């Protein structure tokens, strides 16, 4: 376990910090370097998945911009899907809530996610976007939580492997709370109600 990188006190609903700001920044840097290597001289569209990926998308885009050798231009777009609702476990249902504004056909696209858990969201997005004939379609996730994988899907770029805990912060929520924390932490078990 680790500690917040800043002097900020740990939120009282949290048990411990799993990844602090410095560890997240290093993982984002690593994702940017991997994406840069695979897109040298080409335009790339980073496609963030709302809402959890907002911080990853923002930080990753700024790391990627200007990396040499790297992409010619970095474009941004957003989609919104939902799989968790307000429960502490995935429901298994993925719904498209907001589509992209850019056309996908003929572009090099990287889906940007905060986390892959059961894999249904990434599997759904891969199928949806592949059908639009991108030149290439890859995926970058900050956190890989491989313990409850249902869909046989892997991210192309992974920042950190995550323990099998209920985690929040840096975009990840519980009932829409804690997304704005700059670190990723374990939620205290008494805070969330688990139906199982
Ligand atoms: C989370 C996360 C991923 C998805 C991953 O989104 O941001 O999109 O779950 O889970 P899976 O691999 O089990 O499908 P969520 O649906 O909670 O919405 P949010 O991003 O708005 O929090």
């Amino acid at each position: 376990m680790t500690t917040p990188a800043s002097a900020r006190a740990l939120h009282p609903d949290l048990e411990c910090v799993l990844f602090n700001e410095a560890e997240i920044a290093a993982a984002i840097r690593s994702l940017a370097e991997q994406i840069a290597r695979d897109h040298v001289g080409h335009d790339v569209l980073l496609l963030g998945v709302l809402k959890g990926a907002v911080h990853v998308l923002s930080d990753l885009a700024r790391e990627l911009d200007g990396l040499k050798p790297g992409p010619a231009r970095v474009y941004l777009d957003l989609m919104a899907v939902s799989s968790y609702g307000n429960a502490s476990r995935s429901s298994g249902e993925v719904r498209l809530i907001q589509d992209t504004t850019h056309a996908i056909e003929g572009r090099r696209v990287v889906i940007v996610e905060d986390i892959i858990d059961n894999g249904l969201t990434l599997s759904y997005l891969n199928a949806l976007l592949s059908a639009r004939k991108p030149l290439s379609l890859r995926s970058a996730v900050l956190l890989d939580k491989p313990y409850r994988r249902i869909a046989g899907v892997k991210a192309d770029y992974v920042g950190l492997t995550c323990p099998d805990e209920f985690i929040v912060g840096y975009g990840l929520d519980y009932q829409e709370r804690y997304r704005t924390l700059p670190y990723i932490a374990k939620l205290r078990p008494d805070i969330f109600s688990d139906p199982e």
Side-chain angles (χ1 to χ4, degrees):
M1 302 305 167
T2 182
T3 54
S6 69
R8 170 196 288 253
L10 185 67
H11 189 290
D13 293 353
L14 306 176
E15 198 164 289
C16 60
V17 172
L18 294 174
F19 301 109
N20 66 27
E21 289 136 281
E23 290 163 330
I24 293 169
I28 295 280
R29 175 81 188 180
S30 164
L31 289 174
E33 288 170 349
Q34 294 174 66
I35 294 168
R37 274 198 296 275
D38 286 348
H39 297 82
V40 174
H42 298 297
D43 292 353
V44 62
L45 175 64
L46 297 183
L47 182 47
V49 184
L50 293 170
K51 296 183 279 267
V54 284
H55 302 313
V56 185
L57 180 71
S58 171
D59 289 346
L60 179 61
R62 287 176 291 171
E63 276 295 336
L64 189 55
D65 191 274
L67 270 188
K68 297 292 176 208
R73 297 184 197 85
V74 179
Y75 293 94
L76 302 181
D77 207 341
L78 294 163
M79 295 180 84
V81 298
S82 178
S83 62
Y84 278 20
N86 276 339
S88 60
R89 298 261 185 243
S90 300
S91 66
E93 183 193 352
V94 181
R95 289 184 300 131
L96 179 63
I97 294 170
Q98 180 186 310
D99 209 339
T100 62
T101 56
H102 288 81
I104 297 301
E105 185 170 354
R107 305 185 80 136
R108 292 175 171 83
V109 178
V110 177
I111 299 167
V112 177
E113 272 283 27
D114 51 342
I115 189 166
I116 178 172
D117 186 358
N118 65 32
L120 290 173
T121 305
L122 187 56
S123 179
Y124 170 84
L125 290 171
N126 278 338
L128 184 79
L129 297 169
S130 294
R132 298 179 184 179
K133 300 184 171 45
L135 203 55
S136 64
L137 179 64
R138 296 185 173 93
S139 51
V141 302
L142 177 63
L143 297 163
D144 184 5
K145 201 175 185 185
Y147 316 96
R148 271 182 273 275
R149 198 64 46 85
I150 297 171
V153 63
K154 276 186 176 178
D156 297 285
Y157 313 106
V158 173
L160 298 159
T161 300
C162 175
D164 191 15
E165 304 286 359
F166 196 93
I167 55 169
V168 294
Y170 197 73
L172 294 152
D173 74 307
Y174 173 59
Q175 297 187 337
E176 297 297 333
R177 299 165 64 198
Y178 316 108
R179 290 193 198 273
T180 53
L181 294 171
Y183 49 78
I184 293 164
K186 180 180 173 186
L187 192 61
R188 275 188 11 229
D190 58 298
I191 299 294
F192 64 91
S193 51
D194 192 332
E196 287 179 0

